[in-house]
Amino acid sequence: MATGDIYRALHARSLKDPEGFWAEQAEAIDWSRRWDTVLDSSNPPFYRWFAGGELNACHNALDRHVEGGRAEQTALIYDSPVTGTKTRFTYRALRDRVAAIAGMIAAEGVGKGDRVIIYMPMIPEAVMAMLACARLGAVHSVVFGGFAAKELASRIDDCNPKLVLTASCGIEPNRIVHYKPLLDQAIEMAVHKVPRVILLQRPQGEATMVAGRDLDWVETVKDATPHGCVPVQATDPLYILYTSGTTGYPKGVVRDTGGYCVALHWSMKNLYGVKPGEVYWCASDVGWVVGHSYIVYGPLIYGATTILYEGKPVGTPDAGAFWRVISEHKAMALFTAPTAFRAIKREDPDGKLLKQYDLSGFRTLFLAGERGDPPTVEWAQKLLGVRVVDHWWQTETGWAICGNFEGLDPMPVKLGSTSVPSPGWQLEVMDDQGRPMKPGEVGALAAKLPLPPGTFPTLWNAAERYRQGYMTEFPGYYKTGDAGFIDEDGYVSVMTRVDDVINVAGHRLSTGQIEEVLGSHNDVAECAVIGVADELKGQVPLGLLVLKAGVNKPNEEIVGDVVRMVRDRIGPVAFFKSALVVQRLPKTRSGKILRGTMQKMADNQPWTMPATIEDPVVLDEIKGGLKSAGYAKL
Ligand code: COA
Ligand code: AMP
């Protein structure tokens, strides 16, 4: 047999007989009621996996392992260089802590289907809070700590939580992030009134409580009665995770319970090549989809040990931090974003710090979140001497769309490619007219419906947006929003987004959302935001501002204002640090701003004068402006 034959046969079967294939994989999960239908296709594009089945995700992640012989195995390792803490929780200890927290939140009247917002840093209680919600059948929505109050408020208003679970602060290397003032402000701004907040005080920055609304976590959980697992429908939501769309209004990606558990379990073994009981490390944040799937649910559902790392790849304390964690906890794999490796490479280009650590048990580096640029992938390959697997992901998909399957018969890695489709994924590259393109040609990446289990069945409160935004442009297909090509061997390369989403240090941002903030400045008549190439972060946002006639303030003052406004309204994670004041923006005759052309100019990539341009002189002005600001270098 040739390399890849096992994968190819499995992938072919997953397309030919999806129900048979996924029903087999579902045997690895505990069900309290078996499903009636593997795939309910009665209402496309709203497909439902394992309809009629009942299960509980927390039972699958914890209780069944406690009962099945893993009670004393470490489930979670908390490694926090920013607080100088390392703690281990066995499956039994984690289950007990989660059952108590579930009791605490049930006492607040939270039950099946109720929403709970979790606004917490990378501490064990964040993982426990997620699992406690799952235990009750409540729907969690984790909000990343780097967002501003307004973002949190919009999520509160979209999902109307009965409860917010939070901690007093997060710890960034250069500062303490006080969560509570942001939360108080968000609750104040939101129309939906949050009746209850339960807050964990951290000694690094204690918070002030609001009498009558806020409860102290430690005090409250002390008296809680442990709660058991509540079975839910396989099609019931486990969580909502908000992500950037093309407008300022975030999209609530819904994750179902049954299909997700099945897909994650399959991927731990076959994609990541993990054996139950091994230590697997995903160095993301619980606020992102990757953190949901591979810090929390995937490793635990599979019976592995997961690491929760509260630190950075560099500066906590140095660029050897990742090697220390891998060697100290004997991690067999690391999953992170290429930007983290670029940060390490910049500080320690020869990898000298690696020599201090024993990485003999380390087998694979997985990269995702942004394009695995070949220089970074090659550097990591040479340094670590292991396979470096780039795999393609989206919040919407819950797990990898493409990857290299380390637990099957791993195929050769091709630099710049995310390898081959996961089971159930049938990808096509489409031209502007929705016609499939030939191998090697770049176009819009689309996936034939139905999507496999674990992918999003809908958007929260926005079924029509789901249909219109993803399922309409190419009938019968999911529009991924990414562009790329598929080569003769079926390897998929993802090159760029086709919409106005940009990717900053592995964080997904909407340029449209940043434009809304810039446009609200009193002196700004018009604006555009583009993502310009950045050596460390992949892309960073750059604003272009046209001022209202008669404004005579210094440009620096207005730029300073808009930088502050973006930080206050979207958050530090937007990393919006620069804007240029220009006379005019280049547009087509129909008024569309030529963002793509400006981005190519700024990155000094080849560009052509669009035939529909209103006034070509404007592009010369922009080019001049970009050049004098240090962009578009020749
Ligand atoms: N809470 C509050 N603020 C946060 C935050 C959090 N959880 N995470 C980041 N921020 C802040 C940072 O402090 C920084 O603020 P500053 O402008 O005041 O310095 C800003 O948001 C930008 O953060 P980031 O882009 O993360 O830059 P960084 O310099 O702190 O770190 C990297 C750079 C490369 C180390 C970091 O971006 C990284 O590890 N990225 C990987 C992302 C990832 O894992 N994505 C998931 C896909 S796999
Ligand atoms: P998010 O929803 O935050 O996970 O971001 C998803 C987006 O990140 C995708 O639509 C891609 O644009 C980008 N992305 C994720 N993984 C990869 C990858 N391996 N290669 C290229 N782009 C990626």
Side-chain angles (χ1 to χ4, degrees), residues 224-247:
T225 311
H227 206 292
C229 294
V230 178
V232 301
Q233 294 282 316
T235 49
D236 280 343
L238 174 63
Y239 63 77
I240 305 165
L241 185 56
Y242 288 90
T243 190
S244 302
T246 47
T247 66

Side-chain angles (χ1 to χ4, degrees), residues 257-458:
T257 306
Y260 188 52
C261 290
V262 172
L264 292 185
H265 190 283
W266 186 91
S267 69
M268 287 304 294
K269 177 169 186 280
N270 297 289
L271 171 55
Y272 299 105
V274 189
K275 298 187 186 71
E278 286 191 320
V279 181
Y280 170 89
W281 180 26
C282 171
S284 179
D285 188 287
V286 290
W288 306 124
V289 64
V290 168
H292 281 64
S293 295
Y294 293 111
I295 296 175
V296 185
Y297 289 106
L300 296 177
I301 285 171
Y302 189 61
T305 298
T306 186
I307 300 176
L308 182 75
Y309 175 68
E310 190 184 24
K312 301 268 174 176
V314 293
T316 58
D318 58 27
F322 274 16
W323 324 139
R324 174 191 67 76
V325 174
I326 293 171
S327 73
E328 210 168 301
H329 304 303
K330 302 193 169 41
M332 49 68 64
L334 165 65
F335 175 175
T336 189
T339 187
F341 265 71
R342 289 196 295 271
I344 297 170
K345 184 178 159 196
R346 193 165 73 168
E347 302 241 323
D348 181 19
D350 303 323
K352 289 200 180 85
L353 292 166
L354 181 67
K355 298 192 176 68
Q356 298 172 18
Y357 302 99
D358 171 15
L359 263 62
S360 52
F362 183 60
R363 299 203 290 270
T364 320
L365 171 65
F366 293 92
L367 297 176
E370 57 177 329
R371 183 157 189 268
D373 53 301
T376 305
V377 174
E378 264 182 315
W379 183 79
Q381 282 172 334
K382 281 202 189 102
L383 181 74
L384 296 169
V386 298
R387 278 168 63 85
V388 178
V389 172
D390 183 11
H391 59 329
W392 174 33
W393 263 80
Q394 297 182 324
T395 304
E396 288 85 346
T397 68
W399 61 295
I401 306 168
C402 283
N404 211 311
F405 296 85
E406 298 301 293
L408 296 172
D409 51 346
M411 292 159 70
V413 164
K414 290 192 192 182
L415 285 178
S417 169
T418 63
S419 298
V420 288
S422 295
W425 284 96
Q426 188 177 349
L427 295 164
E428 292 279 4
V429 177
M430 304 288 200
D431 69 10
D432 294 349
Q433 312 297 318
R435 288 176 306 226
M437 297 172 79
K438 294 198 196 77
E441 290 179 348
V442 175
L445 285 158
K448 196 158 188 351
L449 298 176
L451 301 182
T455 54
F456 69 146
T458 189

